[in-house]
Amino acid sequence: MQIPTIGFDHKRSNQAELEIFDLESLYQREYKDHSPQRPHRITFFMMVYIERGSGNHMVDFKSYPFESGSIVFVRREQVHCFDFTSQPIGKVVIFTQAFLDQVHANMRLPNYTPTHLNQSRSPVLALDSDTCLSAKRIIDEVLKEISHDRADPLVVMYLFSAFALMLHRLRPEERHDKLSQEQSVKLARFFDLLQSHYERTRDANWYASQIGTTYKTLNQICKLATDLTAKQMIDAFVTIEMKRRLVVSSVTTQQLAYDFGFEDASNFVKYFKNQTDMTPSQFQKQYADPHI
């Protein structure tokens, strides 16, 4: 079984970089190739606002419970799947990196930092009753503006920014006020490098030297931002990508060992088992059964 990659449909969003639709509309659609209840990787960002109902949402092979008043966050390149068992009611907000770049260029917006690498951090946020009302109003206002005859992208951006800042306030673990501007830049550069070099090296010292800092300083920045050391961040990122490859492409252990620069398959299996408490083949088998 291979997990498909789902891209952002610009035709559905009328060539915009943001789209909002009813969660329940997913229940009525016909799916020839892939059901959203099966694992799939997305190339965009997604927030699912649960107005009514409960269930579980799988994000990067871990199941997270949600209930009325929850928001589920899924970042681009993550593998996830919906749970339609109880058919919850809500809204799905999806947007691209291009949209985020536009918002950042025009106004204040929290940075999307790699806190998801810390497995103790949940992608589900439970809103209080006041914030639930505010969230619904802002989403409705965005929908109203998008459908306006003279829709203004700036109005959409301001509303989105207000929405993101409001949610950010409820996630103190996501705040990076403790980081200076220089530290924030170094963290961003480290994560950019990690995304492009994780197959070649897992050496935290190398990453530190590439961004012109010491291992100790990089460690301090990573701990402040994610409660993980630089090495733990590298291992977490690499392990998630290994899991995705194992399921997305049904790749062999031997090939994956080669792709990630291990001397042989046994070293790769040892590394994977040390990170996950299971072998690559044991992990892969969990997603081989179409009834899972």
Side-chain angles (χ1 to χ4, degrees):
M1 192 239 350
Q2 290 194 1
I3 296 179
T5 296
I6 308 299
F8 189 89
D9 189 342
H10 287 88
K11 288 181 181 177
R12 284 183 59 87
S13 67
N14 196 25
Q15 303 307 313
E17 302 292 335
L18 174 141
E19 183 187 359
I20 300 175
F21 54 88
D22 291 330
L23 175 58
E24 50 271 34
S25 71
L26 293 177
Y27 313 150
Q28 279 85 49
R29 295 182 190 175
E30 287 188 15
Y31 301 100
K32 294 179 181 177
D33 302 318
H34 174 73
S35 165
Q37 293 189 84
R38 301 288 301 145
H40 56 282
R41 184 197 293 253
I42 59 174
T43 64
F44 45 86
F45 296 89
M46 183 179 77
M47 291 188 282
V48 184
Y49 172 49
I50 308 296
E51 293 180 48
R52 294 197 309 277
S54 60
N56 293 279
H57 201 105
M58 187 277 279
V59 181
D60 273 336
F61 312 106
K62 188 173 179 180
S63 184
Y64 298 91
F66 63 77
E67 57 188 18
S68 300
S70 295
I71 288 191
V72 183
F73 298 85
V74 185
R75 299 168 190 249
R76 64 174 182 162
E77 300 307 322
Q78 286 192 300
V79 170
H80 81 113
C81 64
F82 290 89
D83 173 15
F84 294 162
T85 307
S86 62
Q87 298 206 335
I89 305 296
K91 290 283 192 293
V92 180
V93 182
I94 61 175
F95 48 96
T96 64
Q97 183 62 53
F99 176 77
L100 282 181
D101 292 343
Q102 290 168 8
V103 178
H104 276 293
N106 286 282
M107 62 210 63
R108 180 183 163 209
L109 186 72
N111 285 315
Y112 281 72
T113 46
T115 50
H116 65 289
L117 295 180
N118 188 330
Q119 288 295 292
S120 66
R121 303 278 174 84
S122 172
V124 178
L125 174 64
L127 307 186
D128 55 61
S129 55
D130 285 344
T131 310
C132 269
L133 287 172
S134 299
K136 190 172 187 327
R137 286 186 190 126
I138 293 177
I139 291 172
D140 287 344
E141 286 299 321
V142 174
L143 281 168
K144 191 191 299 182
E145 182 60 31
I146 289 172
S147 61
H148 197 283
D149 290 341
R150 291 178 292 168
D152 188 335
L154 265 181
V155 173
V156 173
M157 288 184 209
Y158 274 114
L159 288 167
F160 179 88
S161 187
F163 184 64
L165 287 166
M166 180 181 69
L167 298 180
H168 201 55
R169 191 166 53 199
L170 298 177
R171 304 191 78 162
E173 77 278 7
E174 296 273 354
R175 295 185 69 84
H176 302 293
D177 302 342
K178 293 175 285 187
L179 294 184
S180 66
Q181 181 61 28
E182 184 184 1
Q183 288 174 320
S184 294
V185 169
K186 279 188 166 67
L187 178 66
R189 287 185 62 199
F190 167 52
F191 196 58
D192 283 344
L193 277 170
L194 180 56
Q195 288 175 300
S196 55
H197 291 81
Y198 65 90
E199 288 183 322
R200 287 174 244 174
T201 180
R202 296 179 296 282
D203 181 5
N205 283 293
W206 182 85
Y207 287 101
S209 66
Q210 291 298 304
I211 61 175
T213 192
T214 64
Y215 172 77
K216 183 180 178 181
T217 299
L218 180 60
N219 244 12
Q220 289 173 337
I221 294 170
C222 292
K223 288 282 282 184
L224 279 172
T226 65
D227 287 332
L228 299 174
T229 65
K231 184 67 172 76
Q232 287 172 329
M233 274 186 70
I234 293 167
D235 286 338
F237 183 89
V238 168
T239 302
I240 288 174
E241 190 55 39
M242 286 173 175
K243 286 180 176 180
R244 292 169 180 167
R245 296 269 189 97
L246 281 165
V247 183
V248 169
S249 57
S250 300
V251 68
T252 64
T253 298
Q254 188 71 46
Q255 182 61 46
L256 212 53
Y258 175 78
D259 290 345
F260 281 85
F262 287 87
E263 290 181 6
D264 53 51
S266 61
N267 282 341
F268 165 68
V269 171
K270 184 178 178 182
Y271 177 87
F272 189 87
K273 192 169 183 179
N274 188 46
Q275 297 295 322
T276 65
D277 293 325
M278 65 178 76
T279 66
S281 57
Q282 285 172 335
F283 175 79
Q284 209 168 29
K285 281 175 185 173
Q286 290 183 327
Y287 297 90
D289 184 348
H291 299 297
I292 291 178

